[in-house]
């Protein structure tokens, strides 16, 4: 019998394997929640991470030991310039039993930045009317409708780019006919974050974490480093035997990519939504970002990603009960973050 103990906790969650780099900088949700509302609404929004500060607010969580008291919390600032729905997309049940695209209906008038990115897009009004008629004739067979939206990074000088991100956002609430009318009304028009979210509610944040490159097993999995002594012939901070894992996934900690992974953070609470950037801009601006110039939201706690990274905000898919109204914020720190 060997001297090693027979049981030990496995390092690292197998749910995150393989730990490889994300395919895209702005990932889109793989699933969408169902909301109980008679009014259709987009179930997501896209913003850009600014940085962090801290606030004091009155705790409104009943049952908490600090209920009714002024408490401190760190917050993340996300700048949310208006998005523009540029097309609507209808999905039906395909022959293989999976959702497939029925057709797209594009806005006749699109900004130059968008037409530059979608070089193959040629808007023909006659064809557009045909696409819309196809959607209306198959209204009973449509599983769900989504809006293809474009961001406006040109409104955020800190990003230093004009090329927009283009993603799909599903529509929830109401019936299919009401959702179609809702999309046709907002097509080609700016949509603000106040039209989608409200203060005090929960959101899920989907994005890509900060990349740390190729790292060893100690930093990547937090395994215990054995003491260095004269009988170590295979070096320190090294992985041991991997076992006979041919054809099966190896759960032995190994060096590799750390960070820049697609992740989802559930149930992050919005403490504040405002269109006045002066309420949040610190003296000298945010470090490595500058000044906020568009509407913004304050998320309680920290979020994934680095500064200037696009984040996808989605209606919560597994929410818990929180007060309907936003808590009262008594103080926002505006001191310089430059040190």
């Amino acid at each position: 019998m060997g001297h090693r103990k027979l049981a030990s906790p496995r390092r690292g969650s197998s749910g995150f394997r393989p730990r490889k780099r994300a395919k895209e900088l702005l990932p889109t949700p793989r699933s969408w929640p169902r909301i109980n509302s008679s009014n259709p609404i987009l179930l997501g929004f896209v913003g850009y991470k600014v940085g962090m500060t801290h606030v004091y607010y009155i705790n409104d969580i009943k049952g908490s030991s600090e209920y009714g008291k002024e408490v401190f919390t760190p917050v993340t600032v996300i700048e949310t310039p208006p998005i523009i729905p540029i097309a609507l997309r209808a999905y039906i049940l395909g022959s293989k039993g999976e959702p497939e695209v029925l057709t797209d209906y594009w806005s006749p008038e699109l900004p130059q930045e968008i037409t530059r990115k979608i070089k193959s897009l040629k808007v023909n009004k006659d064809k557009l009317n045909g696409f819309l008629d196809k959607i209306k004739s198959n209204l009973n067979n449509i599983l769900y409708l989504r809006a293809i939206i474009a961001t406006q990074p040109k409104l955020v000088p800190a990003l230093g780019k004009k090329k927009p991100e283009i993603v799909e956002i599903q529509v929830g609430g109401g019936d299919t006919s009401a959702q179609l009318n809702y999309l046709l009304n907002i097509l080609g028009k700016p949509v603000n974050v106040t039209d989608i979210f409200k203060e005090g509610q929960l959101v899920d944040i989907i994005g890509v974490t900060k990349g740390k490159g190729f790292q060893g097993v100690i930093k990547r999995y937090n395994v215990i480093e054995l003491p260095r002594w004269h009988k170590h012939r295979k070096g320190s901070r090294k992985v041991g035997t991997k076992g006979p894992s041919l054809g099966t996934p190896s759960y032995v900690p190994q060096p590799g990519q750390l960070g820049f992974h697609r992740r989802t953070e559930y149930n992050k609470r919005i403490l504040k939504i405002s269109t006045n950037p002066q309420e949040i801009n610190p003296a000298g601006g945010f470090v490595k970002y500058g000044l906020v110039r568009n509407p913004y939201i304050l998320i309680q706690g920290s979020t994934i990603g680095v500064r200037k990274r696009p984040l996808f905000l989605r209606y919560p898919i597994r929410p818990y009960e929180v007060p309907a109204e936003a808590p009262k914020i008594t103080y926002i720190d505006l001191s310089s973050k430059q040190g």
Side-chain angles (χ1 to χ4, degrees), residues 89-321:
R89 175 170 289 176
Y91 284 83
I92 61 173
L93 190 63
S95 58
K96 297 181 179 180
E98 298 180 353
E100 66 178 23
V101 177
L102 173 65
T103 186
D104 298 340
Y105 175 74
W106 291 81
S107 175
E109 299 179 359
L110 297 177
Q112 185 179 3
E113 294 82 7
I114 299 172
T115 55
R116 185 186 301 118
K117 183 172 183 179
I118 310 176
K119 296 180 180 180
S120 60
L121 179 62
K122 295 182 180 180
V123 178
N124 187 315
K125 292 186 177 181
D126 295 333
K127 289 185 177 181
L128 287 179
N129 294 331
F131 295 152
L132 185 58
D133 293 339
K134 185 176 181 180
I135 294 176
K136 292 181 178 179
S137 61
N138 292 274
L139 207 57
N140 296 330
N141 299 325
I142 292 178
L143 296 178
Y144 46 81
L145 293 171
R146 291 180 181 175
I148 301 177
I149 67 98
T151 60
Q152 299 188 83
K154 64 180 182 180
L155 301 179
V156 186
L159 300 179
K161 70 172 187 177
K162 297 180 182 179
K163 189 175 182 180
E165 286 84 15
I166 297 180
V167 294
E168 292 184 16
I169 300 179
Q170 191 157 309
V171 182
D175 56 6
T176 307
S177 178
Q179 293 178 1
L180 179 60
N181 294 331
Y182 168 73
L183 287 175
L184 292 175
N185 289 331
I186 66 174
L187 202 62
K189 303 175 184 178
V191 177
N192 295 311
V193 66
T194 52
D195 301 330
I196 309 299
F197 299 123
K198 61 180 181 179
E199 294 180 340
Q201 79 167 91
L202 301 175
V203 294
D204 296 339
I205 299 181
I206 304 170
V208 176
T209 61
K210 181 179 180 180
K212 300 180 182 298
F214 190 98
Q215 300 294 337
V217 292
I218 304 297
K219 183 172 183 178
R220 196 178 186 218
Y221 286 100
N222 195 28
V223 299
I224 299 175
E225 181 185 5
L226 297 179
R228 296 185 177 94
W229 61 308
H230 69 280
K231 285 193 175 181
H232 277 179
R233 295 293 182 262
K234 297 182 180 180
S236 179
R237 301 175 68 95
K238 303 294 183 181
V239 65
T241 176
K242 298 179 181 179
S245 59
L246 184 63
T248 60
S250 171
Y251 295 103
V252 175
Q254 300 177 42
Q257 175 68 28
L258 177 62
F260 205 79
H261 305 310
R262 173 202 168 106
R263 294 291 182 264
T264 301
E265 290 185 307
Y266 297 96
N267 298 330
K268 309 292 287 190
R269 194 178 186 193
I270 299 177
L271 295 184
K272 184 180 180 63
I273 301 178
S274 177
T275 58
N276 183 11
Q278 301 303 324
E279 298 175 348
I280 193 63
N281 280 326
F286 287 91
V287 179
K288 297 182 181 179
Y289 189 91
L291 299 174
V292 177
R293 304 178 187 272
N294 296 278
Y296 68 92
I297 62 176
L298 289 185
I299 298 290
Q300 186 174 12
S302 61
T303 60
I304 56 179
V306 296
R307 297 173 181 86
K308 305 180 183 181
R309 180 152 295 175
L311 299 175
F312 197 103
L313 311 175
R314 180 191 63 185
Y315 266 71
I317 201 167
R318 52 186 190 193
Y320 56 83
E321 186 176 355

